[in-house]
Amino acid sequence: MTTAEERVGTRYSFGGDEWILVELAEAMSVGVNMRSLAICRRLEALALDGVIDICPANASYLVRLDPDTIHPRALEERLRELEAEVGDASDFHLQTRIIDVPILWDDPWTRETVKRFADRHQTPELTNIEFAAEINGFPTTDAFRDAVFGTPFLATMLGFVPGLVWGYQLVPPERQIEVPKYVRPRTDTPERAFSWGGAFTAVYPVRGAGGYQLLGMCATPFFDSRRRLPDFHDRDWFFRAGDIMRYREVDRAEFDRIRAAVEDETFRYPLAEVEFVPQRWYDDPDGTAAALERSLDDA
Amino acid sequence: MADDSVIRSPVPGVFYRRPDPGSPPFVEEGDEVEPGTVVGLVEVMKQFHELRSESSGRVRGFTVDNEDVVNAGDTVVELDGAG
Amino acid sequence: MTLEILQPGLQTTVQDEGRLGLYAGGMPPSGAMDKASYRMGNLLVGNPDGLASLEITYLGPEIAFRDDAVIAVTGAQMTPKVNGEPIANWRSHAVRADDVLSFGFIESGARAYLAVAGGIDVPPYDGSRSTYTLCGLGGFEGRALQAGDVVPVGTGVDGRAGLDVPVDLQPDLGGDTELRVVVGLASYRLQPESLETFLTADWTVTPDANRVGYRFRGAELHFVEREQPAGAGSDPANVVDFGYPIGSIQIPGGVEPIALLADAVTGGGYATIATIISTDLDRIGQSKTNDHVRFREVTLEDALEARHQARARLDRVRALLTDSQEHAIG
C-alpha cells in the first residue's frame, strides 16, 4: 500500500520502482499549489543525482527517479524533509513571470465545434458559454466574460499532452468558477481552443478530442514541435508551472494581427518578471492581482 | 504453411465484414475473390487492417461473425476452388 | 547506408531508450515498449547502447536492404525471413544489398525489434530518436513508417553474424501473463473489495491497446462515494488532476482499467490505483489484444529486486556477446 507513517493530509506513494507521487491535499487551492511549487523549486535546486523528472501538479507533485542511482526510500525521506521546510509556504516568494495570453471570446471556430458536438452536451440548446454562465449563477454571459478576463490565472500544472497548461484563477474560493465537462467527450477540438473544465482553464495545444467547455480561441500557440517562434526555440512549449497567465480579450482585428505575427514568426509573448508572494495574495487577493497586471502593462 | 483455401487474420482484433455500418459487406458467400480482394477489416490499436485474399476462389463461408474478436492466425474465411 | 520500406506492417516505428527529462512539460518518454528485447538486439549487432531500432507491432513489414548489413530480430516471434527463407530470432545475421526481410504471422509476443548494425540513423529530437506519433515528432518524420520510406542506417559499427542470445537468457514474451504492480497512488479512492477484485480478476486485453495505453476488460470496480473536493470533478473516479506515472493504472468510470504506457498522457483527473513495476513494462509490451493478464501486488523491495535481476540478465548477455565481438575483431 502507501508507505508507512503517512503525515495527515499528505500521501507519499511509490509508482512502481521509478516514481514517487506526493499528494499534498485532496482539494484544490492556491495554497496547496504554492506548497507543491515551493517543494519542487527546492528539489530542483538540490540537483540530486538520480532525479529525472520533477513535475509540479495542481495539489500534488510527481517525481521520476533512477532507482539504480538513488533509492526510492532515500528520496522519499528527502521529500518529506522538503515538505517540512516549506511548511504552509507562507514565506515562499515565487519568482515568476506574468504573461499576456490574447483570447478571441466566442469565436467562430469553437462556436462551430460546439454546434457539431451538441449531442454530447448536457444542454444542447445552449452554447458552452451560456451553459457555463448559467451554472455559475452569472446573470448574463457578459458578466461571466468579465469574471474570466477580470483576474489572472496561475499555471498550476502542465501535462496530459505536451504544452497543455492547467489555469487556476487567482480569486478567493467563493469566486472560483467550476464548469462540468461534456457528458461525452468531443472527438475533435480545434488547436488553440480556450476552454474551461472543472476548476481549470486550458488552451488545447494541438487539435484533438476533449471534454472541456469551449469559450474562445487563443491567438498564440501553446505547443510548437517545429520551434519556429523565438519563445519556442529551446523547447516545444513556452509555459511552465508557476507562470501567471493574464487572459486578455482581443477583438478580431487584433486577433488577426497577432496571428499574422505568429505566422511570420516574429511574435513574442509580452511578459514581465514578477514575484508572487502567497501571503500577500491571501491578505489582499484583488489588490495583489491588480498589481501583477500593472507590472505586465508597464513592461 | 501457406494454405490457399482459407483467409486468416494476421492481427488480433475485432472483425468487420463491412467498410462501415451503412455499407454492404465486402463479400458474401458464393462471391468470387481474386488475389487482393478485400474480404473484411480487423480493428486493432484504433487502426483498421484490410484482410485480403491471397488466391482466387469462391467464398464458402465465414468462420467468425461480424464484430467477433479474432486472434492472430485465426481463420476468417474459407474458400472453395482456391488456387 | 539505407533500407527501404516495401510494406510497412501494421505499425512500425523507430524507437530507442526514450526521451527522458521532459515529463514536467507533458512529454511522455516514448521509446521501446519492451526494453530488454530492444537492448539485446543492439548487443547482438554490436551497437553501443541507445542506438535506435525498428519496433514492429503485430504484423511485420517488408524491408529491402540497400547495402550489406548485419541485423538481428528480437522480441516477438513473427518468423522473420530473408528472401523468403526463415531466419532465427535472437541471432545476428548478415544480409546483402537488395535482400528482402519479411515476416510471417505472429506466434508469440506482440512486438519484434529489428536492430541493424549502426542503428537507425534518423535525427535525434530532444536527445532521442524515438517516435511520438501523437505529436508527430522524433523517429522518421514523426510517424509510423510507410511504403516507400528510405530509412537511414548509421555507419561505423561492424556487426558480426552468427551470435545468439541463449534461450535461458531471452526474456519472457508476455502473452497470458502476470504483471507485478505496486499498489498506491490514489488507491484509497477504490472500495477495498474492489481493490481485491482488481488483484484477483482475470483481465483481457481489449483491441484498444497501443503505445499510449492498454485497456482491459474483466470486472467492475467501485470507488468510495464522497463529496468531491474542490477541483476534483463530479465523478467518484475523478481526483484533482495529478501526474500519472508510466505504468500506472486508472479506471475511468469503474469499468475497463487502462494501463498508461510509453506514449501515455502524463497527467489528468482519473484516480490511478497501482503502477506496473518497470521490469514488467517489457512484459505488457509483449501482451496483445485478447491475451489474459492478472495484476499481482508486490512491495517496492520486490520491484527493486526484479529490476536487479533483469539488469543482471542483460549484463550476462552483454558479457557473452561483447566477448564474442572482441574475438571477432582479434
Side-chain angles (χ1 to χ4, degrees):
Chain A
M1 304 299 248
T2 49
T3 56
E5 310 270 337
E6 277 178 16
R7 213 192 87 164
V8 175
T10 301
R11 289 190 181 91
Y12 286 81
S13 173
F14 296 115
D17 43 324
E18 296 189 345
W19 305 80
I20 298 178
L21 176 72
V22 182
E23 210 183 353
L24 295 163
E26 288 185 27
M28 181 59 192
S29 65
V30 170
V32 70
N33 186 253
M34 284 298 131
R35 288 170 61 210
S36 161
L37 268 176
I39 295 167
C40 288
R41 292 271 167 110
R42 276 176 188 245
L43 183 58
E44 276 166 20
L46 289 176
L48 297 176
D49 278 347
V51 172
I52 295 170
D53 289 294
I54 302 168
C55 314
N58 294 326
S60 60
Y61 66 96
L62 179 68
V63 179
R64 181 172 192 169
L65 66 125
D66 172 10
D68 302 329
T69 307
I70 187 167
H71 196 287
R73 291 202 191 279
L75 181 57
E76 183 200 337
E77 274 318 299
R78 200 74 193 84
L79 300 181
R80 285 179 184 274
E81 287 166 22
L82 293 179
E83 187 193 350
E85 286 168 34
V86 163
D88 65 1
S90 59
D91 60 349
F92 179 47
H93 288 217
L94 173 66
Q95 305 302 324
T96 188
R97 325 177 278 186
I98 181 168
I99 302 165
D100 188 73
V101 182
I103 305 287
L104 181 63
W105 183 257
D106 197 11
D107 65 290
W109 302 282
T110 61
R111 228 182 287 155
E112 186 276 330
T113 305
V114 168
K115 273 208 190 99
R116 189 147 46 99
F117 294 101
D119 62 322
R120 292 158 188 258
H121 197 270
Q122 34 281 82
T123 56
E125 69 283 6
L126 298 182
T127 67
N128 288 186
I129 290 173
E130 289 165 343
F131 171 71
E134 195 176 292
I135 210 158
N136 281 281
F138 289 100
T140 62
T141 54
D142 283 355
F144 172 53
R145 181 198 58 200
D146 292 346
V148 173
F149 291 120
T151 308
F153 289 68
L154 198 54
T156 51
M157 172 175 174
L158 265 76
F160 188 66
V161 292
L164 189 145
V165 183
W166 275 260
Y168 190 70
Q169 199 168 25
L170 283 167
V171 293
E174 65 276 11
R175 277 163 51 199
Q176 278 292 340
I177 295 167
E178 284 216 39
V179 189
K181 297 171 195 170
Y182 269 56
V183 178
R184 287 185 298 131
R186 297 174 305 270
T187 55
D188 189 27
T189 310
E191 180 185 323
R192 289 181 287 101
F194 172 64
S195 64
W196 203 306
F200 301 96
T201 57
V203 171
Y204 283 76
V206 292
R207 185 177 170 181
Y212 277 27
Q213 307 284 340
L214 303 178
L215 310 180
M217 182 60 86
C218 183
T220 54
F222 270 55
F223 176 79
D224 179 9
S225 64
R226 282 177 286 177
R227 303 187 181 182
R228 288 161 300 188
L229 293 176
D231 287 337
F232 292 77
H233 279 177
D234 298 333
R235 280 184 315 186
D236 293 354
W237 53 90
F238 176 64
F239 292 89
R240 49 190 185 129
D243 279 340
I244 295 165
M245 299 180 288
R246 195 265 299 268
Y247 297 126
R248 180 173 59 87
E249 186 179 15
V250 295
D251 60 18
R252 182 64 192 259
E254 184 175 2
F255 180 89
D256 289 343
R257 276 201 302 280
I258 296 171
R259 286 304 304 153
V262 170
E263 288 304 317
D264 69 20
E265 300 173 19
T266 56
F267 174 82
R268 297 193 81 129
Y269 275 103
L271 60 84
E273 304 281 342
V274 290
E275 184 179 72
F276 180 77
V277 184
Q279 192 57 52
R280 272 183 222 149
W281 182 80
Y282 301 145
D283 295 342
D284 176 15
D286 289 333
T288 307
L292 288 168
E293 291 204 65
R294 274 198 302 281
S295 310
L296 180 56
D297 292 331
D298 295 347
Chain B
M1 280 283 290
D3 179 354
D4 285 344
S5 67
V6 299
I7 300 169
R8 298 192 294 159
S9 174
V11 297
V14 179
F15 174 68
Y16 294 99
R17 284 190 55 186
R18 303 159 195 276
D20 54 75
S23 302
F26 288 104
V27 292
E28 300 274 19
E29 284 176 24
D31 283 359
E32 299 285 340
V33 296
E34 301 290 320
T37 303
V38 176
V39 299
L41 301 172
V42 177
E43 182 191 10
V44 67
M45 303 196 303
K46 295 177 181 164
Q47 298 183 51
F48 290 90
H49 176 76
E50 288 182 341
L51 291 187
R52 291 170 184 273
S53 180
E54 286 182 13
S55 49
S56 47
R58 184 180 304 110
V59 175
R60 185 195 312 153
F62 288 80
T63 52
V64 294
D65 289 332
N66 190 45
E67 294 190 33
D68 271 3
V69 168
V70 296
N71 283 311
D74 280 0
T75 294
V76 171
V77 177
E78 292 173 329
L79 300 178
D80 280 325
Chain C
M1 282 172 57
T2 57
L3 50 82
E4 186 182 339
I5 306 298
L6 304 180
Q7 294 290 334
L10 190 69
Q11 188 190 47
T12 302
T13 56
V14 180
Q15 300 294 344
D16 60 13
E17 291 285 345
R19 191 170 284 111
L20 297 187
L22 299 168
Y23 215 71
M27 180 76 81
S30 302
M33 290 272 277
D34 173 2
K35 294 277 193 325
S37 294
Y38 151 76
R39 286 170 183 158
M40 290 183 191
N42 268 340
L43 290 172
L44 277 169
V45 300
N47 280 344
D49 290 347
L51 292 198
S53 298
L54 296 186
E55 180 179 273
I56 295 161
T57 309
Y58 290 159
L59 180 69
E62 215 174 284
I63 295 173
F65 295 92
R66 292 294 172 235
D67 306 88
D68 293 357
V70 171
I71 64 166
V73 180
T74 59
Q77 174 53 266
M78 299 170 73
T79 320
K81 300 168 209 169
V82 172
N83 303 329
E85 289 301 312
I87 60 167
N89 263 28
W90 302 102
R91 185 181 176 88
S92 59
H93 302 273
V95 292
R96 299 259 169 218
D98 295 332
D99 279 354
V100 173
L101 176 70
S102 61
F103 293 84
F105 278 13
I106 192 160
E107 282 163 25
S108 62
R111 291 178 171 81
Y113 293 87
L114 171 64
V116 185
I120 302 298
D121 197 23
V122 295
Y125 188 92
D126 269 333
S128 166
R129 294 182 172 85
S130 289
T131 316
Y132 176 43
T133 53
L134 208 69
C135 282
L137 58 84
F140 188 92
E141 297 176 6
R143 58 170 171 78
L145 294 171
Q146 295 169 0
D149 286 343
V150 175
V151 179
V153 173
T155 52
V157 176
D158 297 317
R160 181 179 157 224
L163 303 181
D164 290 290
V165 176
V167 173
D168 61 319
L169 293 178
Q170 295 169 12
D172 291 341
L173 285 182
D176 293 344
T177 193
E178 189 174 76
L179 299 169
R180 289 165 290 184
V181 297
V182 174
V183 172
L185 313 177
S187 61
Y188 62 89
R189 291 293 307 123
L190 211 53
Q191 294 184 8
E193 312 78 63
S194 282
L195 185 57
E196 198 54 40
T197 304
F198 171 72
L199 294 167
T200 50
D202 180 47
W203 297 99
T204 305
V205 180
T206 68
D208 199 0
N210 57 26
R211 293 182 46 85
V212 175
Y214 272 40
R215 190 185 280 264
F216 302 92
R217 201 168 291 151
E220 202 167 309
L221 305 174
H222 300 279
F223 290 92
V224 179
E225 291 294 329
R226 64 169 174 179
E227 188 164 331
Q228 289 289 94
S234 52
D235 191 282
N238 287 147
V239 293
V240 171
D241 305 68
F242 61 6
Y244 295 150
I246 297 295
S248 65
I249 297 164
Q250 55 176 238
I251 310 151
V255 289
E256 305 200 346
I258 298 172
L260 297 168
L261 302 173
D263 289 358
V265 293
T266 66
Y270 285 113
T272 46
I273 58 153
T275 310
I276 299 168
I277 68 172
S278 63
T279 308
D280 286 359
L281 291 175
D282 291 354
R283 204 182 281 233
I284 191 173
Q286 293 294 0
S287 289
K288 60 182 178 298
T289 295
N290 304 335
D291 282 346
H292 295 260
V293 307
R294 277 169 192 275
F295 298 106
R296 181 160 69 86
E297 181 177 8
V298 298
T299 63
L300 172 66
E301 281 64 33
D302 296 334
L304 292 171
E305 176 57 25
R307 182 186 182 91
H308 178 73
Q309 284 177 12
R311 169 64 59 93
R313 178 153 69 173
L314 185 69
D315 285 346
R316 287 211 296 283
V317 174
R318 183 190 305 279
L320 210 65
L321 295 180
T322 311
D323 206 35
S324 308
Q325 302 278 4
E326 275 162 9
H327 282 294
I329 294 161

